[in-house]
């Protein structure tokens, strides 16, 4: 540790730190624009000039290494005058259009200009003008004359997103940030550039001119999409969600968001929202009141049970639903005497598991891994924030290996890759196991051929200290999922690597915890979608898009006498008999359990739209009407308490003994036909699929073309 004196205060910081780091440790604010704690140091804005004793001129705090005994003054006349001079230069060409700037009220330049700017400019020359750029549906670059060339956006793309889509061209007063070739910005985490921009040069295109910052209410929430469980600040005006920003949580999403989390809120304000219960009568949909709709559902379920037995009733539920909703859906079905409930709509194998499948390590630890093997995942698109952490590990020297059926561009250096059809993934793992067995003198669990690539991956996993084998969405949905896990567990056991699933959805772990799975004699998702039900309850899911059955799901469900859809949207209208409008994540309290087993609760941030009601209330009322026992819940907290039971230890995490990726399945290398179903980045769930701006992105268009083909 090195000790310096900062404004008369002794501060100790690690060797190699900069003065800015010492100031952070001492809670001393130094004005800056280009410096950001998550980015490399550029030292190009010069706003952080400070007075260092014995230095002939002010020094940039962000790029000046500390030395023992250094004396730094951040508020001396020398430092203040230097900072004021820099501000004057920054404002020479700035348009000073604060009254109409969309960034007004949350602009760093505006804030610092109050303290360090002059009351008038000495310059009378014309200001420069930079032409606007069209870089896609998410980021607006309409006002690039405001850019102060801090290069935060450039460094973010290059270092954290892994794709340098923006760069600086020309020199001096002609410098400008651009895509160079007039391309669009297509990164799945591009929206973070908007947050990083300290002026109004990069703004949110969907949010642009919607509201002023001081008009918005700010409320905490949790993302309902992938399994990161990103923490959010949802901004609301007039009971409408107008913007979503990251809430910093170093253990989960750091200070970043995937574009899927940031822009999907648009779907909540679309015309496709279901705002009143609807019944299909004579082939036509009619709006009815809640009492009529619920009586219709209750009487229909009673009739089906009387005619065909309770086992003809089943529920297909979404892992994007909350813990409370999934628990009550299971309790309702089981209260009727059926064990037909399943969240695994995209799965091809339905073997009984011995524990709750999870990440196998903490999310934060992904940033510090030294060796990684990812099986069956397009990591960058399936889990953008996990990919950012693995990318950060790779920048520190981690070796990343892949087994997949496509050569996807992860924007991460790949040490070794095995690109084979999904039917050969088990054999690829067996080959790696054979190489490890040969190296360690132990018998491999299955017959394998230690190819050169298998040996390279084996050597990689045998070296290093912090290692993980991560099974992706396609591996979880694979017809031989248990065999893949058995082989991965053997490799993990003999290399010291953790083994876990990336887990697909916001509440995949939570769905397992509350046992949203078929019990003894119960039908699995594939069987229910195949036409085995007489009455189907669809909770927050659209089987045509959310299941392995795809378009065939409609034909299977059409065989049922009654299909009840609980959805925030006008969904499943082709084969449903009744639509019940339930609240999306912004309009209901609830709980999600992310991939690492972190239990995260959230509150409603806006009132339910129209006649929409929280799904837990709808299910509770249905349970009461059907005479199900123990359904007298007064609040979502009561439902959560019943759902969790002893599932947690009071720290916000699921107890470790409930999380387990063990399996008793044999390490079978037999080929399984068919490609596992894995959703494209902007087709993961109903909310994302209805977000207009996300559907205009290059990723969404590519997925649509692939689906059409």
């Amino acid at each position: 540790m090195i000790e310096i004196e900062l404004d008369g205060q002794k501060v100790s910081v690690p060797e190699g730190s900069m003065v800015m780091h010492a100031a952070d440790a001492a809670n001393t604010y130094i004005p800056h624009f280009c410096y950001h704690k998550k980015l490399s140091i550029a030292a190009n804005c010069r706003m952080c000039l400070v007075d260092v004793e014995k230095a002939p001129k002010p020094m940039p705090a962000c790029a000046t290494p500390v030395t023992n005994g250094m004396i730094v003054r951040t508020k001396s006349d020398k430092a203040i005058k230097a900072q004021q001079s820099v501000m004057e230069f920054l404002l020479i060409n700035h348009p000073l259009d604060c009254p109409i700037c969309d960034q007004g009220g949350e602009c760093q330049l505006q804030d610092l200009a109050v303290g360090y700017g002059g009351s008038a400019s000495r310059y009378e020359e014309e200001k420069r003008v930079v032409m606007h750029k069209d870089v896609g549906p998410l980021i607006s670059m309409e006002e690039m004359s405001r850019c102060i060339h801090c290069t935060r956006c450039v460094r973010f793309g290059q270092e954290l997103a892994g794709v340098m889509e923006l760069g600086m061209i020309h020199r001096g007063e002609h410098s400008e940030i651009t895509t160079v070739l007039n391309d669009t910005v297509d990164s799945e985490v591009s929206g973070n550039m908007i947050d990083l921009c300290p002026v109004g040069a990069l703004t949110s295109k969907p949010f642009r001119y919607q509201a002023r910052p001081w008009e918005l209410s700010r409320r905490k929430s949790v993302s309902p999409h992938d399994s990161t469980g990103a923490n959010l600040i949802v901004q609301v005006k007039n009971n409408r969600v107008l913007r979503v920003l990251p809430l910093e949580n170093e253990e989960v999403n750091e200070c970043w968001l995937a574009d899927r989390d940031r822009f999907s809120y648009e779907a909540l304000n679309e015309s496709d929202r279901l705002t009143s219960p609807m019944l299909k009568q004579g082939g036509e949909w009619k709006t009815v009141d809640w009492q009529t709709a619920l009586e219709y559902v209750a009487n229909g379920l009673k009739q089906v049970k009387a005619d065909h037995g309770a086992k003809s009733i089943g529920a297909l539920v979404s892992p994007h639903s909350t813990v409370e909703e999934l628990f009550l859906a299971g309790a309702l079905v089981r209260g009727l005497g059926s064990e037909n409930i399943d969240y695994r709509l995209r799965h091809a194998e339905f073997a009984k598991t011995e524990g709750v499948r999870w990440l196998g390590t903490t999310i934060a630890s992904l940033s510090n891994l030294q060796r990684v093997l990812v099986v069956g995942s397009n990591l960058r698109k399936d889990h953008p924030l996990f990919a950012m952490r693995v990318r950060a590990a790779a920048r520190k020297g981690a070796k990343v290996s892949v087994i997949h059926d496509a050569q996807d561009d992860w924007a991460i250096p790949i040490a070794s890759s095995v690109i084979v059809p999904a039917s050969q993934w088990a054999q690829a793992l067996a080959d790696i196991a054979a190489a490890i067995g040969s190296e360690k003198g132990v018998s491999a669990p299955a017959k394998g051929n230690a190819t050169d690539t298998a040996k390279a991956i084996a050597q990689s996993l045998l070296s290093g200290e912090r290692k993980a084998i991560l099974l992706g969405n396609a591996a979880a949905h694979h017809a031989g999922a248990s065999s893949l896990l058995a082989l991965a567990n053997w490799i993990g056991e003999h290399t010291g690597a953790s083994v876990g699933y990336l887990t697909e959805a916001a509440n995949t772990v939570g769905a397992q915890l509350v046992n949203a799975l078929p019990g003894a004699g119960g039908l699995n998702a594939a069987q229910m979608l195949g036409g085995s039900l007489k009455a189907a309850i669809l909770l927050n899911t659209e089987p045509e898009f959310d299941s392995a059955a795809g378009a065939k799901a409609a034909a299977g469900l059409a065989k049922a006498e009654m299909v009840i859809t609980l959805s925030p949207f006008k969904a499943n209208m082709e084969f449903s008999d009744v639509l019940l409008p339930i609240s999306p994540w912004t309009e209901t309290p609830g709980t999600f359990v992310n991939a690492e087993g972190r239990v995260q609760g959230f509150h409603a941030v806006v009132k339910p739209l129209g006649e929409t009601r929280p799904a837990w209330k709808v299910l509770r009322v249905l349970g009461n009407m059907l005479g199900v026992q123990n359904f007298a819940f007064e609040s979502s907290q009561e439902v959560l308490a019943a759902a969790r039971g002893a599932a947690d230890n009071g720290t916000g995490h699921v107890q470790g003994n409930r999380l387990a990726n063990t399996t008793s399945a044999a390490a079978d290398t037999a080929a399984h036909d068919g490609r596992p179903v894995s959703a494209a980045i902007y087709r993961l769930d109903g909310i994302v699929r209805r977000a207009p701006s996300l559907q205009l992105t290059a990723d969404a268009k590519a997925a649509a073309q692939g689906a059409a083909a």
Side-chain angles (χ1 to χ4, degrees):
M1 299 292 283
I2 291 176
E3 185 176 86
I4 72 168
E5 183 181 308
L6 184 74
D7 291 339
Q9 178 184 356
K10 298 291 185 181
V11 183
S12 295
V13 289
E15 186 175 358
S17 298
M18 302 297 163
V19 172
M20 185 69 84
H21 300 142
D24 287 343
N27 290 320
T28 298
Y29 179 72
I30 299 175
H32 59 274
F33 292 113
C34 68
Y35 171 77
H36 190 278
K37 63 182 179 181
K38 295 289 184 180
L39 302 175
S40 63
I41 292 170
N44 54 7
C45 79
R46 317 308 281 185
M47 191 66 209
C48 64
L49 293 176
V50 293
D51 180 8
V52 179
E53 191 169 280
K54 297 183 181 180
K57 58 183 180 179
M59 305 293 287
C62 69
T64 303
V66 295
T67 58
N68 228 4
M70 175 185 277
I71 299 175
V72 180
R73 300 179 184 89
T74 68
K75 296 175 176 62
S76 66
D77 287 344
K78 186 176 180 181
I80 296 296
K81 286 179 180 177
Q83 292 162 359
Q84 288 174 339
S85 296
V86 170
M87 178 59 70
E88 185 177 23
F89 276 106
L90 286 174
L91 294 179
I92 289 172
N93 276 310
H94 199 78
L96 305 181
D97 55 352
C98 299
I100 64 164
C101 178
D102 204 46
Q103 194 90 339
E106 52 185 8
C107 171
Q108 274 185 264
L109 182 64
Q110 188 181 49
D111 293 343
L112 291 178
V114 173
Y116 298 91
S119 58
S121 175
R122 292 186 286 168
Y123 293 87
E124 297 178 355
E125 292 80 7
E126 289 186 8
K127 293 178 182 286
R128 70 169 192 161
V129 175
V130 180
M131 291 301 295
H132 66 266
K133 287 94 177 167
D134 184 1
V135 293
L138 305 180
I139 300 177
S140 173
M141 295 180 73
E142 291 290 319
E143 310 290 349
M144 290 308 293
S145 297
R146 298 170 184 159
C147 179
I148 61 170
H149 304 153
C150 69
T151 67
R152 281 184 177 184
C153 56
V154 176
R155 284 176 285 148
F156 172 81
Q158 186 176 18
E159 298 163 14
L160 299 178
V163 183
M164 189 174 172
E165 295 176 295
L166 294 178
M168 184 180 286
I169 60 173
H170 306 314
R171 294 174 68 86
E173 67 174 319
H174 301 293
S175 299
E176 60 179 281
I177 301 292
T178 178
T179 56
V180 183
L181 298 177
N182 295 321
D183 298 328
T184 53
V185 174
D186 298 323
S187 169
E188 64 286 348
V189 290
S190 64
N192 294 295
M193 297 179 185
I194 299 167
D195 295 341
L196 287 170
C197 184
V199 294
L202 303 182
T203 53
S204 168
K205 192 171 279 189
F207 173 70
R208 190 171 167 82
Y209 299 137
Q210 295 292 307
R212 289 295 194 179
W214 54 85
E215 298 174 324
L216 299 169
S217 299
R218 294 163 176 79
R219 291 149 192 180
K220 297 178 183 179
S221 195
V222 179
S223 171
H225 305 304
D226 67 33
S227 60
T228 308
N231 290 199
L232 312 175
I233 296 175
V234 182
Q235 299 190 330
V236 176
K237 178 184 177 184
N238 296 334
N239 206 48
R240 288 187 67 196
V241 176
L242 292 185
R243 184 165 61 169
V244 172
L245 298 176
L247 175 63
E248 186 169 353
N249 186 335
E250 281 296 316
E251 299 300 311
V252 181
N253 56 301
E254 300 176 275
C255 55
W256 312 121
L257 281 187
D259 290 350
R260 180 164 57 192
D261 304 322
R262 184 184 298 270
F263 296 107
S264 65
Y265 73 87
E266 282 190 292
L268 306 177
N269 303 322
E270 286 295 296
S271 59
D272 198 27
R273 281 293 302 272
L274 179 65
T275 57
S276 297
M278 300 181 73
L279 294 180
K280 186 186 288 183
Q281 296 178 340
E284 293 187 5
W285 284 101
K286 295 184 179 180
T287 300
V288 297
D289 58 60
W290 270 106
Q291 187 66 26
T292 302
L294 291 173
E295 286 178 356
Y296 178 86
V297 171
N299 291 333
L301 290 175
K302 289 176 181 177
Q303 190 64 47
V304 169
K305 182 179 178 179
D307 293 345
H308 306 285
K311 294 184 178 181
S312 65
I313 301 171
L316 293 158
V317 297
S318 168
H320 299 278
S321 298
T322 66
V323 165
E324 295 84 348
E325 293 164 359
L326 294 169
F327 172 75
L328 286 181
L332 176 66
V333 171
R334 292 187 168 102
L336 291 172
S338 172
E339 287 291 339
N340 304 331
I341 179 170
D342 208 346
Y343 76 92
R344 302 168 297 176
L345 275 71
R346 292 193 175 102
H347 286 229
E349 183 197 80
F350 300 94
K352 184 173 177 58
T353 59
E354 286 113 62
V356 173
R357 302 299 189 224
W358 70 299
L359 187 62
T361 184
T362 63
I363 291 173
S365 70
L366 298 180
S367 300
N368 298 308
L369 291 173
Q370 295 175 330
R371 302 290 184 265
V372 189
L373 172 60
V374 181
V375 182
S377 175
N378 180 358
L379 184 66
R380 179 180 167 192
K381 303 301 181 182
D382 291 348
H383 299 87
L385 296 181
F386 289 173
M388 284 182 69
R389 287 191 179 270
V390 173
R391 190 174 296 117
R395 287 177 63 84
K396 299 173 191 172
K399 291 184 178 179
V400 181
S401 303
V402 181
I403 297 175
H404 199 32
D405 61 357
Q407 191 79 55
D408 300 311
D409 179 12
W410 286 8
I412 300 174
I414 303 299
S416 303
S417 60
V418 179
I419 308 302
V420 293
S423 59
Q424 298 176 32
W425 290 351
Q427 186 61 59
L429 284 171
D431 293 347
I432 296 169
I436 292 170
S438 176
E439 185 74 21
K440 299 192 73 173
V442 295
S443 299
K447 186 175 181 181
N449 178 23
T451 63
D452 290 342
T453 304
K455 288 178 182 177
I457 296 175
Q459 288 295 334
S460 172
L461 290 172
L462 286 167
S463 62
E465 296 178 357
R466 299 180 297 277
K467 299 168 273 193
I469 300 171
L470 303 174
L471 301 171
N473 297 348
H477 303 163
H478 198 280
S482 295
S483 298
L484 295 178
L485 178 59
L487 287 160
N489 280 338
W490 188 93
I491 294 170
E493 180 184 347
H494 289 82
T495 60
S498 67
V499 178
Y501 285 95
L502 293 166
T503 69
E504 181 183 44
N507 209 24
T508 299
V509 175
Q512 299 171 78
L513 279 169
V514 298
N515 198 28
L517 296 161
L523 301 175
N524 61 47
Q527 292 168 327
M528 287 190 270
L529 289 169
S532 301
L533 298 178
K534 293 300 181 182
I537 301 170
L538 306 180
L539 175 61
N540 202 25
T541 186
E542 299 169 80
E544 288 181 273
F545 307 105
D546 295 333
S547 75
K552 296 178 182 178
L557 290 168
K559 297 177 182 178
E561 293 181 9
M562 171 178 272
V563 177
I564 305 145
T565 290
L566 290 81
S567 173
F569 304 102
K570 296 173 183 175
N572 306 328
M573 298 184 80
E574 177 188 346
F575 49 80
S576 292
D577 298 288
V578 57
L579 301 181
L580 301 178
I582 60 169
S583 301
W585 59 282
T586 52
E587 299 170 18
T588 181
T591 307
F592 291 136
V593 185
N594 71 0
E596 67 177 1
R598 183 182 294 262
V599 181
Q600 300 188 110
F602 55 91
H603 298 288
V605 298
V606 293
K607 296 176 182 177
L609 184 65
E611 293 297 310
T612 301
R613 296 290 181 268
W616 73 268
K617 288 187 176 182
V618 176
L619 292 166
R620 180 199 62 188
V621 173
L622 274 175
N624 291 333
M625 295 176 73
L626 290 164
V628 178
Q629 298 296 311
N630 302 319
F631 246 65
F633 298 106
E634 295 296 326
S635 67
S636 61
Q637 287 80 7
E638 288 185 23
V639 182
L640 179 62
R644 290 177 70 173
D648 70 281
N649 53 14
T651 62
H653 281 78
V654 177
Q655 283 183 351
N657 59 2
R658 297 204 64 186
L659 301 174
N661 295 315
T662 56
T663 180
S664 56
D668 182 11
T669 59
H672 295 273
D673 294 334
R675 189 177 191 273
V677 174
S678 186
I681 182 170
Y682 298 133
R683 299 185 68 81
L684 181 63
D685 58 73
I687 295 176
V688 169
R689 287 193 293 268
R690 290 173 171 84
S693 296
L694 291 179
Q695 295 308 315
L696 293 174
T697 60
D699 280 326
K701 291 177 180 177
Q705 291 173 357

